[in-house]
């Protein structure tokens, strides 16, 4: 591991220990394969151990798979499915596993859901997560949402290990409730858009904000080596 001394955070009840600054792999779909592999390896060498991707991010999963081949056991990987049925989600997951060159993901998330699925529906999305976990294809399950009510309901439900939601130091007090609710229920909180979609120009202020939130793990969308060095 490289020179950066990264602090670790416990990702809620998953018990996973992840680097306080983790890697959002959406932007690497815009890089060439070689650039992406080099960037992800640099992140790994710098000590970053958590990488978040999604089936919907074109070839992001494949690039992560190539970059992390051989060090899979040392990292935490999460991905997401936008599948609308149980079968869709399980099919997506099989493609994700193939792309990522692994037989499991650490966290499988339902991608940007508008409402929580019915956990009792045997053909529903929750059934897919439960089935994937039972089969050992994922260790933990979660959701990502842009709607606060959905994120809060997921955190309170006891059914999900993680919740991913946009949190930044520009977040409203209302959005910040989610931090407390996740802490109360021991749900891992993964913060997307941690730079508020580019509105936050100062990385330093953003890092300081998250340093004060022991249960929120930001995933930074990293596209360039210079950004990685700042982290």
């Amino acid at each position: 591991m490289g020179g950066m001394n990264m602090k670790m955070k416990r990702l809620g009840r998953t018990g996973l220990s992840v680097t306080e600054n983790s890697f959002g792999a959406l932007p690497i779909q815009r890089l060439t394969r070689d650039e992406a592999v080099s960037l992800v390896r640099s992140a790994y060498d710098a000590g970053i151990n958590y990488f978040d991707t999604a089936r919907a991010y074109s070839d992001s999963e494949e690039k992560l798979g190539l970059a992390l081949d051989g060090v899979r056991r040392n990292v935490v990987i999460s991905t997401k499915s936008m599948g609308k049925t149980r079968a869709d989600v399980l099919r997506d997951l099989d493609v994700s596993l193939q792309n990522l060159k692994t037989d499991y993901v650490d966290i499988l998330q339902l991608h940007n859901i508008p409402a929580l699925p019915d956990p009792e529906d045997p053909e529903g999305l929750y059934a897919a997560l439960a089935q994937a976990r039972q089969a050992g294809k994922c260790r933990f399950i979660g959701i990502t949402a842009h709607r606060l009510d959905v994120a809060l309901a997921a955190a309170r439900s006891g059914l999900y290990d993680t919740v991913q939601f946009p949190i930044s130091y520009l977040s409203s007090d209302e959005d910040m409730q989610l931090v407390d609710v996740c802490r109360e229920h021991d749900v891992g909180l993964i913060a997307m858009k941690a730079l508020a979609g580019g509105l936050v120009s100062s990385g330093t202020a953003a890092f300081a904000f998250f340093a004060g939130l022991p249960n929120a793990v930001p995933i930074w969308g990293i596209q360039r080596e210079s950004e990685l060095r700042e982290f």
Side-chain angles (χ1 to χ4, degrees), residues 59-180:
D59 61 358
S60 165
E61 290 178 329
E62 288 158 84
K63 287 166 173 165
L64 268 190
L66 287 168
L68 298 174
D69 200 20
V71 298
R72 170 67 187 102
R73 302 290 158 190
N74 308 339
V75 295
V76 172
I77 298 175
S78 57
T79 193
K80 317 178 189 83
S81 169
M82 297 187 99
K84 297 284 181 261
T85 65
R86 183 181 67 87
D88 284 348
V89 172
L90 293 172
R91 197 175 307 120
D92 272 354
L93 177 57
D94 284 339
V95 175
S96 294
L97 294 177
Q98 202 176 344
N99 288 342
L100 289 162
K101 299 183 184 294
T102 183
D103 50 7
Y104 72 100
V105 287
D106 294 277
I107 310 166
L108 176 61
Q109 305 159 96
L110 300 177
H111 196 166
N112 193 11
I113 53 173
L116 287 188
D118 174 2
E120 302 301 319
D121 177 359
E123 288 306 314
L125 301 184
Y126 192 80
L129 297 181
Q131 189 177 333
R133 185 166 55 184
Q134 210 174 351
K137 291 182 178 184
C138 67
R139 296 175 63 197
F140 303 103
I141 60 181
I143 61 126
T144 82
H146 286 84
R147 287 182 44 174
L148 180 61
D149 58 339
V150 175
L152 286 168
R156 290 183 175 124
S157 69
L159 296 171
Y160 300 97
D161 303 309
T162 60
V163 168
Q164 186 173 147
F165 186 76
I167 295 275
S168 74
Y169 76 77
L170 300 184
S171 290
S172 66
D173 290 347
E174 200 187 5
D175 282 354
M176 290 300 291
Q177 295 174 73
L178 182 61
V179 176
D180 297 330

Side-chain angles (χ1 to χ4, degrees), residues 5 22 125 138 173 184 186 211:
N5 184 12
S22 289
L125 301 184
C138 67
D173 290 347
E184 283 159 31
D186 203 21

